[in-house]
Amino acid sequence: MARLRVWGVLLLLLIGCGGEDTRTVTIYCSHDRAHSQKILDLFERATGIEVEAVFDTEATKTVGLVQRVRGEKARPRCDVHWSNEPLHAVRLAADGFYDVLPLGAGEGIPAEWRDPDRLWCGFAGRVRVLALAPETKAIDSPPRQLSDLAMEQWRGRVAIADPRFGTTASHLAIVRSRIGPDRYRQLLESLRANDVQMVSSNSSSRDRVLSGEVWIGLTDTDDIEVVRRRGASLGEEFLRGDGVLLLPNVIAIIKGAPHPEEARELAQWLLKKEVEELLAASSSRQVPLRREALVPPTGLTIAELDPVEVDWNDAASQLAEAIREAERILLDH
Amino acid sequence: MKKRQIGAFWALLPVLIGFYFPVISMMIHDGLFEAVAGEFGGSSSSQSVILTTVRIATMSAVLATLVGLLDAVLLAGTRGPARVLIAGMLLATFLIPPAALASAVQGVIGSSTLRATIRDELGAVCMLAFRWAPVACAMLLGAAVLWPVQQERALRGLSPRVALFVRARCLMPQALRCVGLLVLLLISASELPSYAGVETISQRVHARLTVGDAAEGWQLALGMLVAVAPVLLFLVWKLPRSDRSQWGGTVTGLPRLRGVDLLLVIRSIPVLALVFILAVTAWPRASEMAVAGSEFIDGVVGIFQELPRAFIASSIAVICGWRLADGGHRWGLLLLCLPTVLPSSLGALALLHVVRPTLPLVLDDLPILLTLAQTCKLGAVGAAAGLVASRVIPLSESNSSRLLAPVTGRWRVRFPRALPVLLPAVVIGVALVMGEVEATLLMAPPGHPSPALELHQLLHFRNDEQAARIALLLALVGSMLAAIVVAPLRRKDK
């Protein structure tokens, strides 16, 4: 009998643990924890809604939170998905994982950065960029487009992150979508012929430039900014010849989210202009998608970059094939 | 079915529920078997990645075991100052994710100094070997308690240098099994090889999952299993049975060799240097003291919140391994070992898809499935420890205990006698769980602390100071765990 009582008390405690007195919302966030946590703290203070966040890490590549969202389809645990690159989010939307965003969410963000069915909305993004080693030829006459990386003068002097993961995969899928499969394969072949080095991540690509192993590293603006703020000297080139590629963060609400009301509030709040301004001022130097957003003098504005227009759905549909071809040509040779 | 097989069935329940049931369900769901019918083992490039992975894992395991064997022989076979401290230091860095170590070293000496040594397969092998050598050392130190007392006495009668060689030879059977276990543990390593610019099977599986081609991911994993099958069989093969084991190898009578002391000091220098680098990086500026203090306290709380869970996961794996080994269930041990070979993310995703929807909602906030996934991943550690531990007891004692009621003989007689080997294995398992990232990211309930995951996130965005603070804490915990392994082995005579 005594044992039964003990088990009874334990069961009550267990059930008690699951009780919720306060309003909570769960977000899966692949943006830099240091910056996004501050923003989520502000939301908590403003609304009183407690935010439970799960952050991504590069250690598990893209298998992380996107796969978690897919794995939890039968019973979602996540309310809001904050993805720091758009193509996987577009695929999740196409596969029916997202619910409709509330009316008015992301007001002021141009239509090219949002889903026409309101399943996702982009905000503040980073730009694909070449990190250039100081005091080298790369600074004097930097490549203007991806195909320039295949020029003889850069042989063995270029590093690219693993083309199957992260923003590099998205970049290649967008390139394939824009130039077509044949020219895409030719581009990859020419890069391989020029001994382009494959490294584990964008930050490794930047680090190889910093260490002098290569002169040019394909990476993102935030990767460059974090080391610049620590005193490192690195040049950058936005590949204007191809058109500047801006990859926005994306907000979406998970279909069947356990806290739908709170999810709508958080999504609406994160898509405010002020959040874009906070991200623009942070060391990740994000580019606000609203032209009227305030950007610090050292920041980047969408007006000066004039990014290229991307067909997100087409690029997302080409992601798998772009990755396969990149693996076959660049990694399996 | 025989009674004895039914009795041992519970020891397989964690891997059946946490691995085989969900994984086989997912394989069928993802159409693996149709894919296998078409082309087994994937393309020739995939086969070459499998071969590279096996080659790197094998070479690293051999090198790690050689270094670990040297450390273990010197620590177990000689007397000298601060042996426990040295052993603690050797394991200290194992808990720190390699990315943190690499980042700290790069920050101080510059990556260009390192580039000649860390690129390509050789670099991957060296980095993996020196990272895992402390684990081999801890395992072999634990195995030293297997020696019969008479043998230990005879060794102490030999000249000190000859005794060291004889000790090394005596540890060879365990060292070979250590190689086998490390091969299984290293086969799914991806972080360090990726850092060295080498692709392993884990990365390729991740890439397949990324593009939504799960069937090919499973196919690659199956190819990996086939490739390591000989190692699995070798690992669960019989070990020689001891006549009489000793508990608590005593320090009295061990020789004291100045050369060995010097060697151990030199061996400790890289660890000391790493800890020093981390300490320098972690030290906050005056304006950051308050923030750093609160981060430090949060880190301590997080680590000590995770420790009991890691202990539970590791203990379950080790106890199941011992139970199967004690009953002589070799097929059961094989089943226990298999999940170690696959990347954690595959098992975790299968659990998420298949098992989680069947659990009551109230359990969602508890890290039950995460613990189950990590328990399955530690299967090979449990199997190896169980097999070695079941040979600790002399045959005559073991036979006598089997005359008692089965439960009494097993849990009151043989289990306590196996503890000297099982405890170090539990500690190694705790260290592995604390550093695990893949399953944690996929399954940890929101808000669940994970120092290793946090460290990776901080490093990615170059928050080096915060990362160094957590890394230091992890190193401290690593030292404490190592002390738990080593201190009983070096207990003095009363």
Side-chain angles (χ1 to χ4, degrees), chain B residues 14-15 18-19 185 306-318 336 339-340 344-345 347-348 351 367-382 428-445 448-453:
Chain B
V15 282
F19 185 79
L185 290 169
E306 263 295 76
L307 267 178
R309 201 187 59 75
F311 182 77
I312 290 170
S314 179
S315 302
I316 293 173
V318 170
L336 201 64
T340 305
S344 303
S345 49
L351 269 172
I368 292 173
L369 285 184
L370 173 62
T371 309
L372 189 59
Q374 290 171 333
T375 300
C376 295
K377 184 73 182 165
L378 291 178
V381 176
I428 288 169
V430 168
L432 290 171
V433 171
M434 293 290 288
E436 203 278 331
V437 173
E438 289 182 26
T440 307
L441 180 65
L442 288 168
M443 308 184 81
H448 182 84
S450 169
L453 197 56

Side-chain angles (χ1 to χ4, degrees), chain B residues 23 154 251 259 289 291 312 359 366 379 397 420 428 430 451 459 470 483:
Chain B
V23 161
V251 176
M289 278 293 180
V291 178
I312 290 170
L359 292 180
L366 302 173
E397 273 183 50
I428 288 169
V430 168
L459 279 172
I470 296 178

Side-chain angles (χ1 to χ4, degrees), chain A residues 81-239:
Chain A
H81 186 205
W82 175 348
S83 174
N84 69 346
E85 69 81 47
L87 294 196
H88 283 287
V90 173
R91 281 163 62 102
L92 284 171
D95 293 343
F97 283 87
Y98 290 159
D99 212 340
V100 178
L101 287 166
L103 274 173
E107 209 166 36
I109 293 175
E112 66 257 34
W113 303 107
R114 35 164 89 241
D115 180 57
D117 298 326
R118 284 194 290 127
L119 292 175
W120 56 268
C121 181
F123 69 117
R126 2 176 218 173
V127 182
R128 292 295 288 167
V129 65
L130 295 176
L132 307 172
E135 295 168 23
T136 62
K137 270 198 288 186
I139 287 283
D140 303 330
S141 53
R144 305 273 299 161
Q145 51 203 9
L146 266 185
S147 56
D148 287 353
L149 299 177
M151 288 161 71
E152 180 60 28
Q153 60 178 327
W154 310 127
R155 179 176 290 278
R157 297 291 186 180
V158 179
I160 295 181
D162 192 323
R164 298 167 301 179
F165 303 109
T167 48
T168 310
S170 301
H171 188 167
L172 291 182
I174 291 166
V175 169
R176 192 177 192 272
S177 155
R178 286 171 59 78
I179 66 176
D182 292 339
R183 284 183 59 204
Y184 172 72
R185 281 190 291 272
Q186 282 168 14
L187 173 68
L188 295 179
E189 298 277 4
S190 64
L191 291 175
R192 185 188 75 183
N194 212 32
D195 294 337
V196 168
Q197 294 185 27
M198 293 295 129
V199 296
S200 59
S201 61
N202 286 320
S203 48
S204 298
S205 176
R206 169 207 65 202
D207 288 344
R208 297 243 177 152
V209 178
L210 276 175
S211 69
E213 285 177 73
V214 295
W215 291 348
I216 302 163
L218 183 60
T219 184
D220 299 322
T221 38
D222 59 337
D223 288 306
I224 292 185
E225 184 64 12
V226 286
V227 292
R228 274 185 175 170
R229 291 198 179 197
R230 290 173 164 269
S233 168
L234 272 182
E236 65 184 3
E237 166 62 38
F238 291 117
L239 292 169

Side-chain angles (χ1 to χ4, degrees), chain B residues 49-137:
Chain B
V49 177
I50 290 177
L51 284 179
T52 306
T53 308
V54 173
R55 193 166 57 236
I56 288 177
T58 309
M59 286 162 64
S60 312
V62 170
L63 189 57
T65 306
L66 283 175
V67 176
L69 179 67
L70 180 69
D71 291 341
V73 167
L74 296 182
L75 286 169
T78 60
R79 179 166 52 98
R83 287 290 195 267
V84 173
L85 194 67
I86 288 170
M89 277 197 304
L90 292 182
L91 196 65
T93 50
F94 182 71
L95 269 183
I96 305 173
L101 291 178
S103 168
V105 174
Q106 272 189 12
V108 173
I109 66 172
S111 58
S112 54
T113 320
L114 286 174
R115 75 178 169 222
T117 50
I118 63 166
R119 297 288 181 245
D120 303 327
E121 267 188 51
L122 178 65
V125 168
C126 290
M127 286 196 285
L128 282 171
F130 282 97
R131 175 165 164 72
W132 285 80
V135 174
C137 171

Side-chain angles (χ1 to χ4, degrees), chain B residues 167-181:
Chain B
R167 275 175 195 280
R169 283 178 56 189
C170 290
L171 278 173
M172 279 315 281
Q174 286 81 17
L176 285 174
R177 260 147 199 92
C178 182
V179 171
L181 177 62

Side-chain angles (χ1 to χ4, degrees), chain A residues 51-69:
Chain A
V51 180
E52 287 182 330
V54 177
F55 296 99
D56 213 338
T57 166
E58 216 176 45
T60 54
K61 304 295 177 191
T62 327
V63 177
L65 292 182
V66 170
Q67 291 298 331
R68 183 166 172 157
V69 169

Side-chain angles (χ1 to χ4, degrees), chain B residues 248-281:
Chain B
T250 59
V251 176
T252 315
L254 285 171
R256 183 164 186 175
L257 295 171
R258 194 168 292 172
V260 167
D261 291 344
L262 188 66
L263 210 59
L264 285 172
V265 168
I266 292 169
R267 177 79 179 84
S268 310
I269 286 173
V271 182
L272 281 173
L274 277 172
V275 171
F276 179 73
I277 288 168
L278 287 175
V280 169
T281 315

